[in-house]
Amino acid sequence: MKSLRMRRNRELYFLGLPDPPDPGPDEVLVRMKYASICGFDMMMLNGKAAYPKNGVLGHEGSGIIEAVGKRVSPAEFKPGDRVAINPYTFCGQCDACRSNQPNFCINPGGRSDLMTEYISIDAKQAFLLPTEVSLPAGSLIEPLMMAMHAISKARLDWGKNLIILGGGAMGQIILKLARQYPLGKIVVVEPVAAKREMAKRFGADVVLDPSGCNLVTEALLLNGGMGYDAVIEASGSRGSAQTALNIVARGGSVVYFGLYGMDFNLEVNLFNLYWKDATISCVCVPSGYFPSAIAMAGRLRLEEVVTGLFPFSQGIQAFAEKASGVHAKVMLQFDKEG
Ligand SMILES: [Zn+2]
Ligand SMILES: [Zn+2]
């Protein structure tokens, strides 16, 4: 079997591996069906994030159970079951874990080798997909879980206005999720026309092209100069991160969802923030949201954010396509049959 990997010089290649391993007693063997490319995979590839052990790639994926370990109850999993994989694990022993806050585990672990044809994984990391959630959507449960965390930090409520900066895969998933709330206006800011069109289809009331305009002025004009109750920065652009602070309303909330690099310092005018009584927050991995993300996925048709679907054998081209910036989500499909 094959695994898509990255060399130390950040070049992609296919590694040949022995036949699928038998699952350990508490594991399930998953035949991967879909794995999607995340912005974080791109950061590793561009040298902006640390080189992963063994050059593995992929933490968003879904597949079919092929075999189950001796101690896994048949009531839990059986061959043929469709599952999404939660790549994150926590130790269960540290103070955070024992205070029901596994997100803050001091000894977290996980799998990020999902761009591999078969993987044996702890049964606790596999989650059955209900019939209304497709396998491609199953590989987007991890990003959906992140989006849910962003929305909870944005403290949305009846009639509030939301602006999403960035219409990439994450901006679109956040939009789909936000549309489940009875909000006032939702504005999406995105320079690529096709992604603005996508945002329109997914329910944005207004889409804005930030190129060639003064975004702060335009965004404020759309909203009577009052600013937005929630600003979710999902573009990962440093300029946009700065803009976000200037368009938040009094009492509002700015959520930084993007990754801006380890050397980026945001300039914050604290008087401005004080006067606005606004809140700034960030979003790190909330692995405890996985089951609720699956529950939500049934009504979101997440597969619609996929703009590039490539056979696994063309994984290297898929990464090049993703780098072009025109896509929302790029996904790899393993075997076509079965
Ligand atoms: Zn991801
Ligand atoms: Zn822990």
Side-chain angles (χ1 to χ4, degrees), residues 139-161:
S139 99
L140 297 171
I141 300 296
E142 189 270 351
L144 174 59
M145 168 176 93
M146 300 293 296
M148 289 171 76
H149 197 27
I151 295 265
S152 71
K153 293 254 174 135
R155 300 178 306 176
L156 299 179
D157 206 348
W158 298 92
K160 300 279 188 189
N161 294 315

Side-chain angles (χ1 to χ4, degrees), residues 90-98 101-102 104-108:
F90 45 89
C91 76
Q93 300 296 323
C94 71
D95 282 354
C97 283
R98 291 193 292 177
Q101 291 191 303
F104 306 128
C105 176
I106 57 164
N107 195 18

